[in-house]
Amino acid sequence: NADTQDHFYSQLLDRVRQLPGVRAATIDGSWPLLDANGMRVQIQGQPIDQRYNALHLVDPSFLAVSGRTLRTGHFIDQREIDQHAQEMVVSEGFARRYLSGTVLGRIVHLPQFSPDRQHPLTNDAFTIVGVIKDVPVFATYLEDLPEMFVPYSVAPQATGVLLVKTATPAESLVEPLRRTVADIDKQLPVTDAMSL
């Protein structure tokens, strides 16, 4: 149930941010730099583009955790999380690939996005509200993948990665994090834990 998952992530982030040694915490739908939620898009008035873009399902703390910087507009904020807003931040690479001239206010459709792998979104139109700086080019296959960031609350069931910025060695937080997840939902397994 999407509402239950939305509530779970909200609780989890509140609790994780209070753990000693945690500087910032956010969530995403994929591991940063290691894999990607590959997504085709349709810019308003154009056919679906067959190239892939990376879709991130995030909350406002993504900027603090990732160290990324905003170029223009605003990043996903708490109002957008609370309202499940159909709003989107794109990377410079996305803007270069698809949009000339004005970027803010443009409409991007995600016609193939199916959060639960069965049903597409009832409304697949997202309005661009910000542009984020590209990541430096790493030696990974992600280097040419333009990125999109939307509120995780739009599709909490497609989220599954907790990202934590630490002030202490990352390994020291693995057990407290596992306990925090178990306190909220004993049935939920924590499958992988690694430092980046």
Side-chain angles (χ1 to χ4, degrees):
N1 176 299
D3 287 340
T4 308
Q5 286 165 315
D6 195 4
H7 182 64
F8 167 80
Y9 284 120
S10 170
Q11 267 191 299
L12 178 66
L13 288 168
D14 282 348
R15 292 202 197 181
V16 166
R17 287 170 182 147
Q18 291 168 25
L19 291 174
V22 170
R23 281 204 175 128
T26 191
I27 51 180
D28 200 344
S30 56
W31 293 89
L33 310 179
L34 300 177
D35 70 348
N37 224 328
M39 197 62 55
R40 292 187 174 108
V41 303
Q42 182 177 20
I43 306 301
Q44 187 104 8
Q46 297 173 20
I48 296 176
D49 184 66
Q50 294 306 308
R51 294 169 292 181
Y52 281 110
N53 303 273
L55 178 66
H56 299 273
L57 297 133
V58 298
D59 90 326
S61 295
F62 182 87
L63 278 186
V65 173
S66 67
R68 306 276 293 270
T69 51
L70 204 61
R71 279 287 190 223
T72 184
H74 72 269
F75 196 69
I76 301 301
D77 59 28
Q78 195 56 46
R79 175 195 62 81
E80 288 157 329
I81 297 292
D82 296 342
Q83 295 177 3
H84 306 222
Q86 303 272 133
E87 290 173 7
M88 174 185 285
V89 172
V90 299
S91 65
E92 294 168 307
F94 185 96
R96 269 196 310 275
R97 177 184 273 189
Y98 294 110
L99 309 163
S100 53
T102 307
V103 175
L104 300 184
R106 298 285 291 275
I107 306 293
V108 177
H109 292 269
L110 301 177
Q112 298 174 331
F113 184 34
S114 170
D116 61 1
R117 308 260 189 268
Q118 292 171 359
H119 308 92
L121 291 174
T122 317
N123 173 12
D124 71 2
F126 289 78
T127 305
I128 298 176
V129 295
V131 179
I132 195 172
K133 196 173 171 194
D134 284 338
V135 285
V137 175
F138 289 90
T140 78
Y141 72 91
L142 288 188
E143 58 191 65
D144 294 324
L145 219 51
E147 297 170 288
M148 305 170 287
F149 303 82
V150 301
Y152 79 85
S153 54
V154 168
Q157 62 274 50
T159 305
V161 178
L162 174 68
L163 303 172
V164 181
K165 190 171 195 173
T166 68
T168 55
E171 299 70 37
S172 68
L173 275 162
V174 173
E175 276 316 306
L177 288 170
R178 283 186 197 277
R179 281 197 300 274
T180 304
V181 171
D183 281 350
I184 305 170
D185 185 347
K186 288 183 177 39
Q187 306 302 310
L188 204 63
V190 176
T191 51
D192 293 299
M194 68 167 105
S195 58
L196 291 168

